[in-house]
Amino acid sequence: ITVSTDLPLAGLRLRAIPADFHVRGDLDLRQNERLHRIGDGLRVEGSLTIGGRCKDPRWPRELPRGLHATDALAPLEALPEGLQVDRDLMLRGCHRLRRLPERMSIGRSLRIFGCRSLEALPTGLHVRGDLELGGRNSLSELPAGLRVDGDLRIQGGLLRSLPDDLQVKGKLELLACRHLEALPRADEHALGAGL
């Protein structure tokens, strides 16, 4: 299936997105509280937003512990293999998502907020824009070979250390990272001047 424009699917009751789905604009999957599966091979030529709230949300009566009324639940357990997003990928409140796929491509920024079960990012992940990690998650370490062409901003979470081969071309911001025990050894190949 190919859609030649933006595809706003926010606030619906979708349970699944089919395999080999292609959107030539932005794909908006905010506030789809029943979305459990996205088929492999999803291609979005614009930005992809999964989870988070719409302007006129219909909240479930009870939110799981750790989520606030500003976060709409997204019960998605995995992102599809071969995911390709040409612009930005935003994940918010995907409370069952444990890891990102090894085979994925993000054209610009990756923003992850309130994905409390997230425990791993792919080894060798290359983010061509900014990488933001905020809210509760279960990441205790970042992957080896992580490269961020923009800024790396981490707020809160369980992160204990940063990899020695981390490359950040923009600013590195660490806010309220109470579990962080060590910074990587800085040399001309590692962290950018923003540290």
Side-chain angles (χ1 to χ4, degrees):
I1 298 174
T2 299
V3 178
S4 58
T5 61
D6 291 345
L7 185 57
L9 298 176
L12 301 179
R13 300 169 70 92
L14 294 176
R15 294 181 182 273
I17 301 291
D20 299 318
F21 201 67
H22 183 179
V23 179
R24 292 204 169 120
D26 296 339
L27 177 57
D28 184 350
L29 295 172
R30 287 175 300 156
Q31 203 172 321
N32 272 270
E33 288 111 0
R34 294 178 179 219
L35 183 63
H36 288 275
R37 190 177 63 77
I38 297 176
D40 290 344
L42 175 63
R43 165 96 193 270
V44 179
E45 292 185 25
S47 295
L48 172 60
T49 304
I50 301 174
R53 68 181 178 130
C54 300
K55 288 186 178 184
D56 185 21
R58 293 179 215 146
W59 304 113
R61 290 188 182 267
E62 292 183 27
L63 292 171
R65 187 188 291 180
L67 281 177
H68 305 285
T70 55
D71 296 317
L73 301 177
L76 196 63
E77 294 183 7
L79 291 179
E81 283 298 324
L83 174 64
Q84 183 175 341
V85 179
D86 291 357
R87 299 180 102 191
D88 301 329
L89 174 59
M90 163 77 87
L91 303 171
R92 183 180 282 283
C94 299
H95 63 285
R96 292 184 181 169
L97 185 66
R98 296 195 178 280
R99 57 185 57 243
L100 300 185
E102 292 294 326
R103 293 187 313 106
M104 64 180 271
S105 171
I106 308 299
R108 291 196 321 203
S109 296
L110 174 59
R111 294 180 169 88
I112 303 172
F113 300 100
C115 298
R116 67 178 187 218
S117 296
L118 186 68
E119 55 193 25
L121 296 177
T123 302
L125 177 64
H126 182 193
V127 179
R128 291 165 182 85
D130 299 334
L131 174 57
E132 292 185 60
L133 298 167
R136 293 181 61 187
N137 61 59
S138 298
L139 285 169
S140 60
E141 61 184 12
L142 294 178
L146 176 62
R147 293 182 296 155
V148 181
D149 292 348
D151 298 339
L152 173 57
R153 179 183 173 93
I154 302 171
Q155 184 169 2
L158 302 175
L159 195 65
R160 296 192 177 281
S161 64
L162 300 176
D164 285 336
D165 60 353
L166 174 64
Q167 295 181 37
V168 180
K169 291 185 179 175
K171 293 186 295 185
L172 173 62
E173 295 182 57
L174 304 170
L175 306 169
C177 297
R178 293 184 174 90
H179 299 278
L180 190 65
E181 298 170 349
L183 294 175
R185 189 182 67 254
D187 60 29
E188 68 275 8
H189 302 295
L191 298 172
L195 178 62

PDB file of all heavy atoms in Angstrom, residues 144-179:
ATOM      1  N   ALA A 144      27.121   0.432  21.858  1.00  0.00           N
ATOM      2  CA  ALA A 144      28.446   0.669  21.297  1.00  0.00           C
ATOM      3  C   ALA A 144      28.293   1.210  19.879  1.00  0.00           C
ATOM      4  O   ALA A 144      27.371   0.836  19.162  1.00  0.00           O
ATOM      5  CB  ALA A 144      29.251  -0.632  21.282  1.00  0.00           C
ATOM      6  N   GLY A 145      29.186   2.105  19.495  1.00  0.00           N
ATOM      7  CA  GLY A 145      29.177   2.639  18.134  1.00  0.00           C
ATOM      8  C   GLY A 145      28.116   3.687  17.873  1.00  0.00           C
ATOM      9  O   GLY A 145      27.863   4.035  16.725  1.00  0.00           O
ATOM     10  N   LEU A 146      27.474   4.225  18.924  1.00  0.00           N
ATOM     11  CA  LEU A 146      26.433   5.238  18.736  1.00  0.00           C
ATOM     12  C   LEU A 146      27.044   6.518  18.176  1.00  0.00           C
ATOM     13  O   LEU A 146      28.018   7.043  18.713  1.00  0.00           O
ATOM     14  CB  LEU A 146      25.735   5.540  20.066  1.00  0.00           C
ATOM     15  CG  LEU A 146      24.689   6.653  20.051  1.00  0.00           C
ATOM     16  CD1 LEU A 146      23.527   6.317  19.107  1.00  0.00           C
ATOM     17  CD2 LEU A 146      24.169   6.923  21.457  1.00  0.00           C
ATOM     18  N   ARG A 147      26.459   7.026  17.064  1.00  0.00           N
ATOM     19  CA  ARG A 147      26.894   8.285  16.451  1.00  0.00           C
ATOM     20  C   ARG A 147      25.686   9.212  16.360  1.00  0.00           C
ATOM     21  O   ARG A 147      24.643   8.822  15.841  1.00  0.00           O
ATOM     22  CB  ARG A 147      27.455   8.062  15.043  1.00  0.00           C
ATOM     23  CG  ARG A 147      28.754   7.282  15.033  1.00  0.00           C
ATOM     24  CD  ARG A 147      29.284   7.139  13.625  1.00  0.00           C
ATOM     25  NE  ARG A 147      28.361   6.354  12.813  1.00  0.00           N
ATOM     26  CZ  ARG A 147      28.271   6.426  11.498  1.00  0.00           C
ATOM     27  NH1 ARG A 147      29.021   7.272  10.817  1.00  0.00           N
ATOM     28  NH2 ARG A 147      27.424   5.663  10.843  1.00  0.00           N
ATOM     29  N   VAL A 148      25.859  10.437  16.839  1.00  0.00           N
ATOM     30  CA  VAL A 148      24.804  11.440  16.796  1.00  0.00           C
ATOM     31  C   VAL A 148      25.370  12.666  16.090  1.00  0.00           C
ATOM     32  O   VAL A 148      26.305  13.294  16.590  1.00  0.00           O
ATOM     33  CB  VAL A 148      24.309  11.802  18.220  1.00  0.00           C
ATOM     34  CG1 VAL A 148      23.195  12.842  18.149  1.00  0.00           C
ATOM     35  CG2 VAL A 148      23.834  10.560  18.956  1.00  0.00           C
ATOM     36  N   ASP A 149      24.809  13.010  14.935  1.00  0.00           N
ATOM     37  CA  ASP A 149      25.317  14.151  14.170  1.00  0.00           C
ATOM     38  C   ASP A 149      24.866  15.485  14.752  1.00  0.00           C
ATOM     39  O   ASP A 149      25.481  16.515  14.498  1.00  0.00           O
ATOM     40  CB  ASP A 149      24.865  14.063  12.706  1.00  0.00           C
ATOM     41  CG  ASP A 149      25.530  12.904  11.965  1.00  0.00           C
ATOM     42  OD1 ASP A 149      26.491  12.320  12.510  1.00  0.00           O
ATOM     43  OD2 ASP A 149      25.078  12.577  10.862  1.00  0.00           O
ATOM     44  N   GLY A 150      23.787  15.491  15.519  1.00  0.00           N
ATOM     45  CA  GLY A 150      23.304  16.700  16.173  1.00  0.00           C
ATOM     46  C   GLY A 150      23.599  16.650  17.658  1.00  0.00           C
ATOM     47  O   GLY A 150      24.669  16.220  18.085  1.00  0.00           O
ATOM     48  N   ASP A 151      22.624  17.063  18.471  1.00  0.00           N
ATOM     49  CA  ASP A 151      22.768  17.081  19.925  1.00  0.00           C
ATOM     50  C   ASP A 151      22.269  15.773  20.527  1.00  0.00           C
ATOM     51  O   ASP A 151      21.336  15.159  20.016  1.00  0.00           O
ATOM     52  CB  ASP A 151      21.946  18.224  20.535  1.00  0.00           C
ATOM     53  CG  ASP A 151      22.400  19.603  20.062  1.00  0.00           C
ATOM     54  OD1 ASP A 151      23.543  19.724  19.597  1.00  0.00           O
ATOM     55  OD2 ASP A 151      21.595  20.549  20.161  1.00  0.00           O
ATOM     56  N   LEU A 152      22.878  15.376  21.632  1.00  0.00           N
ATOM     57  CA  LEU A 152      22.415  14.239  22.430  1.00  0.00           C
ATOM     58  C   LEU A 152      21.931  14.791  23.759  1.00  0.00           C
ATOM     59  O   LEU A 152      22.700  15.402  24.507  1.00  0.00           O
ATOM     60  CB  LEU A 152      23.538  13.224  22.648  1.00  0.00           C
ATOM     61  CG  LEU A 152      23.240  12.059  23.609  1.00  0.00           C
ATOM     62  CD1 LEU A 152      22.021  11.267  23.168  1.00  0.00           C
ATOM     63  CD2 LEU A 152      24.450  11.154  23.745  1.00  0.00           C
ATOM     64  N   ARG A 153      20.635  14.607  24.029  1.00  0.00           N
ATOM     65  CA  ARG A 153      20.034  15.122  25.259  1.00  0.00           C
ATOM     66  C   ARG A 153      19.372  13.959  25.991  1.00  0.00           C
ATOM     67  O   ARG A 153      18.490  13.292  25.443  1.00  0.00           O
ATOM     68  CB  ARG A 153      19.004  16.190  24.931  1.00  0.00           C
ATOM     69  CG  ARG A 153      18.290  16.775  26.133  1.00  0.00           C
ATOM     70  CD  ARG A 153      17.227  17.774  25.661  1.00  0.00           C
ATOM     71  NE  ARG A 153      16.412  18.234  26.741  1.00  0.00           N
ATOM     72  CZ  ARG A 153      16.641  19.328  27.457  1.00  0.00           C
ATOM     73  NH1 ARG A 153      17.694  20.072  27.186  1.00  0.00           N
ATOM     74  NH2 ARG A 153      15.833  19.674  28.432  1.00  0.00           N
ATOM     75  N   ILE A 154      19.802  13.726  27.225  1.00  0.00           N
ATOM     76  CA  ILE A 154      19.258  12.642  28.041  1.00  0.00           C
ATOM     77  C   ILE A 154      18.757  13.247  29.344  1.00  0.00           C
ATOM     78  O   ILE A 154      19.493  13.963  30.029  1.00  0.00           O
ATOM     79  CB  ILE A 154      20.321  11.566  28.334  1.00  0.00           C
ATOM     80  CG1 ILE A 154      20.881  11.002  27.027  1.00  0.00           C
ATOM     81  CG2 ILE A 154      19.733  10.461  29.197  1.00  0.00           C
ATOM     82  CD1 ILE A 154      22.079  10.107  27.197  1.00  0.00           C
ATOM     83  N   GLN A 155      17.495  12.965  29.663  1.00  0.00           N
ATOM     84  CA  GLN A 155      16.915  13.496  30.885  1.00  0.00           C
ATOM     85  C   GLN A 155      16.316  12.363  31.697  1.00  0.00           C
ATOM     86  O   GLN A 155      15.435  11.638  31.239  1.00  0.00           O
ATOM     87  CB  GLN A 155      15.843  14.532  30.567  1.00  0.00           C
ATOM     88  CG  GLN A 155      15.274  15.186  31.801  1.00  0.00           C
ATOM     89  CD  GLN A 155      14.408  16.380  31.478  1.00  0.00           C
ATOM     90  OE1 GLN A 155      14.191  16.703  30.320  1.00  0.00           O
ATOM     91  NE2 GLN A 155      13.909  17.039  32.503  1.00  0.00           N
ATOM     92  N   GLY A 156      16.826  12.189  32.912  1.00  0.00           N
ATOM     93  CA  GLY A 156      16.322  11.145  33.798  1.00  0.00           C
ATOM     94  C   GLY A 156      16.711   9.761  33.325  1.00  0.00           C
ATOM     95  O   GLY A 156      17.659   9.569  32.571  1.00  0.00           O
ATOM     96  N   GLY A 157      15.999   8.758  33.775  1.00  0.00           N
ATOM     97  CA  GLY A 157      16.260   7.382  33.361  1.00  0.00           C
ATOM     98  C   GLY A 157      17.258   6.677  34.259  1.00  0.00           C
ATOM     99  O   GLY A 157      17.683   7.182  35.292  1.00  0.00           O
ATOM    100  N   LEU A 158      17.653   5.466  33.844  1.00  0.00           N
ATOM    101  CA  LEU A 158      18.522   4.597  34.635  1.00  0.00           C
ATOM    102  C   LEU A 158      19.931   4.479  34.064  1.00  0.00           C
ATOM    103  O   LEU A 158      20.687   3.591  34.453  1.00  0.00           O
ATOM    104  CB  LEU A 158      17.896   3.191  34.712  1.00  0.00           C
ATOM    105  CG  LEU A 158      16.488   3.117  35.309  1.00  0.00           C
ATOM    106  CD1 LEU A 158      15.953   1.692  35.214  1.00  0.00           C
ATOM    107  CD2 LEU A 158      16.486   3.610  36.750  1.00  0.00           C
ATOM    108  N   LEU A 159      20.296   5.347  33.137  1.00  0.00           N
ATOM    109  CA  LEU A 159      21.585   5.275  32.455  1.00  0.00           C
ATOM    110  C   LEU A 159      22.737   5.333  33.451  1.00  0.00           C
ATOM    111  O   LEU A 159      22.812   6.241  34.281  1.00  0.00           O
ATOM    112  CB  LEU A 159      21.691   6.430  31.461  1.00  0.00           C
ATOM    113  CG  LEU A 159      22.775   6.337  30.413  1.00  0.00           C
ATOM    114  CD1 LEU A 159      22.499   5.172  29.475  1.00  0.00           C
ATOM    115  CD2 LEU A 159      22.840   7.633  29.623  1.00  0.00           C
ATOM    116  N   ARG A 160      23.642   4.321  33.373  1.00  0.00           N
ATOM    117  CA  ARG A 160      24.784   4.245  34.291  1.00  0.00           C
ATOM    118  C   ARG A 160      26.081   4.727  33.678  1.00  0.00           C
ATOM    119  O   ARG A 160      26.964   5.211  34.385  1.00  0.00           O
ATOM    120  CB  ARG A 160      24.957   2.813  34.794  1.00  0.00           C
ATOM    121  CG  ARG A 160      23.792   2.318  35.620  1.00  0.00           C
ATOM    122  CD  ARG A 160      24.130   1.032  36.341  1.00  0.00           C
ATOM    123  NE  ARG A 160      23.046   0.595  37.184  1.00  0.00           N
ATOM    124  CZ  ARG A 160      22.772   1.092  38.375  1.00  0.00           C
ATOM    125  NH1 ARG A 160      23.504   2.055  38.851  1.00  0.00           N
ATOM    126  NH2 ARG A 160      21.767   0.632  39.076  1.00  0.00           N
ATOM    127  N   SER A 161      26.235   4.566  32.354  1.00  0.00           N
ATOM    128  CA  SER A 161      27.490   4.966  31.717  1.00  0.00           C
ATOM    129  C   SER A 161      27.246   5.278  30.250  1.00  0.00           C
ATOM    130  O   SER A 161      26.207   4.932  29.688  1.00  0.00           O
ATOM    131  CB  SER A 161      28.532   3.852  31.849  1.00  0.00           C
ATOM    132  OG  SER A 161      28.099   2.700  31.149  1.00  0.00           O
ATOM    133  N   LEU A 162      28.226   5.926  29.650  1.00  0.00           N
ATOM    134  CA  LEU A 162      28.206   6.218  28.223  1.00  0.00           C
ATOM    135  C   LEU A 162      29.310   5.407  27.561  1.00  0.00           C
ATOM    136  O   LEU A 162      30.382   5.216  28.152  1.00  0.00           O
ATOM    137  CB  LEU A 162      28.436   7.716  27.983  1.00  0.00           C
ATOM    138  CG  LEU A 162      27.408   8.659  28.601  1.00  0.00           C
ATOM    139  CD1 LEU A 162      27.816  10.114  28.378  1.00  0.00           C
ATOM    140  CD2 LEU A 162      26.031   8.414  28.034  1.00  0.00           C
ATOM    141  N   PRO A 163      29.103   4.923  26.339  1.00  0.00           N
ATOM    142  CA  PRO A 163      30.128   4.094  25.692  1.00  0.00           C
ATOM    143  C   PRO A 163      31.378   4.911  25.350  1.00  0.00           C
ATOM    144  O   PRO A 163      31.287   6.101  25.030  1.00  0.00           O
ATOM    145  CB  PRO A 163      29.436   3.590  24.417  1.00  0.00           C
ATOM    146  CG  PRO A 163      28.311   4.536  24.179  1.00  0.00           C
ATOM    147  CD  PRO A 163      27.898   5.073  25.502  1.00  0.00           C
ATOM    148  N   ASP A 164      32.536   4.263  25.421  1.00  0.00           N
ATOM    149  CA  ASP A 164      33.804   4.939  25.119  1.00  0.00           C
ATOM    150  C   ASP A 164      33.883   5.414  23.678  1.00  0.00           C
ATOM    151  O   ASP A 164      34.566   6.389  23.383  1.00  0.00           O
ATOM    152  CB  ASP A 164      34.996   4.019  25.425  1.00  0.00           C
ATOM    153  CG  ASP A 164      35.254   3.910  26.921  1.00  0.00           C
ATOM    154  OD1 ASP A 164      34.860   4.836  27.660  1.00  0.00           O
ATOM    155  OD2 ASP A 164      35.849   2.902  27.350  1.00  0.00           O
ATOM    156  N   ASP A 165      33.186   4.727  22.770  1.00  0.00           N
ATOM    157  CA  ASP A 165      33.269   5.118  21.350  1.00  0.00           C
ATOM    158  C   ASP A 165      32.107   6.018  20.915  1.00  0.00           C
ATOM    159  O   ASP A 165      31.864   6.198  19.728  1.00  0.00           O
ATOM    160  CB  ASP A 165      33.355   3.885  20.454  1.00  0.00           C
ATOM    161  CG  ASP A 165      32.148   2.963  20.587  1.00  0.00           C
ATOM    162  OD1 ASP A 165      31.293   3.202  21.473  1.00  0.00           O
ATOM    163  OD2 ASP A 165      32.061   1.999  19.808  1.00  0.00           O
ATOM    164  N   LEU A 166      31.402   6.618  21.874  1.00  0.00           N
ATOM    165  CA  LEU A 166      30.301   7.526  21.571  1.00  0.00           C
ATOM    166  C   LEU A 166      30.809   8.730  20.775  1.00  0.00           C
ATOM    167  O   LEU A 166      31.827   9.321  21.118  1.00  0.00           O
ATOM    168  CB  LEU A 166      29.656   8.011  22.882  1.00  0.00           C
ATOM    169  CG  LEU A 166      28.577   9.085  22.774  1.00  0.00           C
ATOM    170  CD1 LEU A 166      27.363   8.574  22.013  1.00  0.00           C
ATOM    171  CD2 LEU A 166      28.178   9.571  24.161  1.00  0.00           C
ATOM    172  N   GLN A 167      30.094   9.079  19.689  1.00  0.00           N
ATOM    173  CA  GLN A 167      30.436  10.248  18.888  1.00  0.00           C
ATOM    174  C   GLN A 167      29.233  11.181  18.845  1.00  0.00           C
ATOM    175  O   GLN A 167      28.164  10.785  18.392  1.00  0.00           O
ATOM    176  CB  GLN A 167      30.819   9.837  17.468  1.00  0.00           C
ATOM    177  CG  GLN A 167      32.075   8.994  17.397  1.00  0.00           C
ATOM    178  CD  GLN A 167      32.413   8.633  15.966  1.00  0.00           C
ATOM    179  OE1 GLN A 167      32.230   9.427  15.062  1.00  0.00           O
ATOM    180  NE2 GLN A 167      32.898   7.416  15.779  1.00  0.00           N
ATOM    181  N   VAL A 168      29.433  12.409  19.315  1.00  0.00           N
ATOM    182  CA  VAL A 168      28.387  13.432  19.319  1.00  0.00           C
ATOM    183  C   VAL A 168      28.977  14.679  18.679  1.00  0.00           C
ATOM    184  O   VAL A 168      29.940  15.245  19.193  1.00  0.00           O
ATOM    185  CB  VAL A 168      27.895  13.750  20.754  1.00  0.00           C
ATOM    186  CG1 VAL A 168      26.811  14.824  20.712  1.00  0.00           C
ATOM    187  CG2 VAL A 168      27.369  12.495  21.429  1.00  0.00           C
ATOM    188  N   LYS A 169      28.394  15.116  17.561  1.00  0.00           N
ATOM    189  CA  LYS A 169      28.918  16.301  16.876  1.00  0.00           C
ATOM    190  C   LYS A 169      28.376  17.595  17.464  1.00  0.00           C
ATOM    191  O   LYS A 169      29.002  18.640  17.339  1.00  0.00           O
ATOM    192  CB  LYS A 169      28.598  16.229  15.385  1.00  0.00           C
ATOM    193  CG  LYS A 169      29.382  15.146  14.681  1.00  0.00           C
ATOM    194  CD  LYS A 169      29.145  15.170  13.196  1.00  0.00           C
ATOM    195  CE  LYS A 169      29.960  14.078  12.513  1.00  0.00           C
ATOM    196  NZ  LYS A 169      29.661  13.994  11.073  1.00  0.00           N
ATOM    197  N   GLY A 170      27.200  17.547  18.095  1.00  0.00           N
ATOM    198  CA  GLY A 170      26.610  18.732  18.709  1.00  0.00           C
ATOM    199  C   GLY A 170      26.858  18.744  20.205  1.00  0.00           C
ATOM    200  O   GLY A 170      27.898  18.299  20.682  1.00  0.00           O
ATOM    201  N   LYS A 171      25.887  19.242  20.946  1.00  0.00           N
ATOM    202  CA  LYS A 171      25.995  19.332  22.405  1.00  0.00           C
ATOM    203  C   LYS A 171      25.601  18.013  23.060  1.00  0.00           C
ATOM    204  O   LYS A 171      24.734  17.306  22.563  1.00  0.00           O
ATOM    205  CB  LYS A 171      25.076  20.429  22.934  1.00  0.00           C
ATOM    206  CG  LYS A 171      25.464  21.822  22.531  1.00  0.00           C
ATOM    207  CD  LYS A 171      24.591  22.858  23.208  1.00  0.00           C
ATOM    208  CE  LYS A 171      23.172  22.732  22.752  1.00  0.00           C
ATOM    209  NZ  LYS A 171      22.287  23.777  23.288  1.00  0.00           N
ATOM    210  N   LEU A 172      26.211  17.737  24.191  1.00  0.00           N
ATOM    211  CA  LEU A 172      25.824  16.613  25.047  1.00  0.00           C
ATOM    212  C   LEU A 172      25.213  17.201  26.303  1.00  0.00           C
ATOM    213  O   LEU A 172      25.872  17.954  27.026  1.00  0.00           O
ATOM    214  CB  LEU A 172      27.028  15.744  25.399  1.00  0.00           C
ATOM    215  CG  LEU A 172      26.784  14.635  26.418  1.00  0.00           C
ATOM    216  CD1 LEU A 172      25.769  13.633  25.891  1.00  0.00           C
ATOM    217  CD2 LEU A 172      28.087  13.931  26.776  1.00  0.00           C
ATOM    218  N   GLU A 173      23.921  16.899  26.547  1.00  0.00           N
ATOM    219  CA  GLU A 173      23.227  17.396  27.731  1.00  0.00           C
ATOM    220  C   GLU A 173      22.745  16.204  28.549  1.00  0.00           C
ATOM    221  O   GLU A 173      22.016  15.353  28.045  1.00  0.00           O
ATOM    222  CB  GLU A 173      22.024  18.248  27.336  1.00  0.00           C
ATOM    223  CG  GLU A 173      22.379  19.524  26.612  1.00  0.00           C
ATOM    224  CD  GLU A 173      21.151  20.353  26.301  1.00  0.00           C
ATOM    225  OE1 GLU A 173      20.415  20.707  27.253  1.00  0.00           O
ATOM    226  OE2 GLU A 173      20.922  20.617  25.118  1.00  0.00           O
ATOM    227  N   LEU A 174      23.145  16.176  29.812  1.00  0.00           N
ATOM    228  CA  LEU A 174      22.751  15.123  30.740  1.00  0.00           C
ATOM    229  C   LEU A 174      22.035  15.791  31.904  1.00  0.00           C
ATOM    230  O   LEU A 174      22.656  16.504  32.688  1.00  0.00           O
ATOM    231  CB  LEU A 174      23.978  14.350  31.233  1.00  0.00           C
ATOM    232  CG  LEU A 174      24.848  13.728  30.133  1.00  0.00           C
ATOM    233  CD1 LEU A 174      26.152  13.218  30.716  1.00  0.00           C
ATOM    234  CD2 LEU A 174      24.101  12.624  29.431  1.00  0.00           C
ATOM    235  N   LEU A 175      20.726  15.581  31.999  1.00  0.00           N
ATOM    236  CA  LEU A 175      19.919  16.259  33.000  1.00  0.00           C
ATOM    237  C   LEU A 175      19.261  15.240  33.924  1.00  0.00           C
ATOM    238  O   LEU A 175      18.586  14.319  33.459  1.00  0.00           O
ATOM    239  CB  LEU A 175      18.830  17.097  32.320  1.00  0.00           C
ATOM    240  CG  LEU A 175      19.333  18.094  31.271  1.00  0.00           C
ATOM    241  CD1 LEU A 175      18.178  18.660  30.481  1.00  0.00           C
ATOM    242  CD2 LEU A 175      20.130  19.197  31.923  1.00  0.00           C
ATOM    243  N   ALA A 176      19.463  15.401  35.217  1.00  0.00           N
ATOM    244  CA  ALA A 176      18.856  14.531  36.231  1.00  0.00           C
ATOM    245  C   ALA A 176      19.152  13.056  35.982  1.00  0.00           C
ATOM    246  O   ALA A 176      18.303  12.197  36.212  1.00  0.00           O
ATOM    247  CB  ALA A 176      17.343  14.770  36.308  1.00  0.00           C
ATOM    248  N   CYS A 177      20.348  12.753  35.509  1.00  0.00           N
ATOM    249  CA  CYS A 177      20.779  11.355  35.297  1.00  0.00           C
ATOM    250  C   CYS A 177      21.429  10.873  36.592  1.00  0.00           C
ATOM    251  O   CYS A 177      22.653  10.780  36.702  1.00  0.00           O
ATOM    252  CB  CYS A 177      21.739  11.267  34.111  1.00  0.00           C
ATOM    253  SG  CYS A 177      21.000  11.736  32.543  1.00  0.00           S
ATOM    254  N   ARG A 178      20.626  10.568  37.572  1.00  0.00           N
ATOM    255  CA  ARG A 178      21.102  10.276  38.930  1.00  0.00           C
ATOM    256  C   ARG A 178      21.888   8.969  39.037  1.00  0.00           C
ATOM    257  O   ARG A 178      22.642   8.774  39.983  1.00  0.00           O
ATOM    258  CB  ARG A 178      19.920  10.252  39.884  1.00  0.00           C
ATOM    259  CG  ARG A 178      19.289  11.613  40.042  1.00  0.00           C
ATOM    260  CD  ARG A 178      18.178  11.617  41.069  1.00  0.00           C
ATOM    261  NE  ARG A 178      17.694  12.967  41.284  1.00  0.00           N
ATOM    262  CZ  ARG A 178      16.711  13.516  40.583  1.00  0.00           C
ATOM    263  NH1 ARG A 178      16.121  12.827  39.637  1.00  0.00           N
ATOM    264  NH2 ARG A 178      16.333  14.749  40.829  1.00  0.00           N
ATOM    265  N   HIS A 179      21.725   8.079  38.073  1.00  0.00           N
ATOM    266  CA  HIS A 179      22.418   6.794  38.127  1.00  0.00           C
ATOM    267  C   HIS A 179      23.730   6.796  37.339  1.00  0.00           C
ATOM    268  O   HIS A 179      24.470   5.821  37.385  1.00  0.00           O
ATOM    269  CB  HIS A 179      21.509   5.685  37.584  1.00  0.00           C
ATOM    270  CG  HIS A 179      20.251   5.520  38.363  1.00  0.00           C
ATOM    271  ND1 HIS A 179      20.178   4.809  39.534  1.00  0.00           N
ATOM    272  CD2 HIS A 179      18.997   6.003  38.164  1.00  0.00           C
ATOM    273  CE1 HIS A 179      18.957   4.840  40.018  1.00  0.00           C
ATOM    274  NE2 HIS A 179      18.215   5.564  39.201  1.00  0.00           N
TER     275      HIS A 179
END
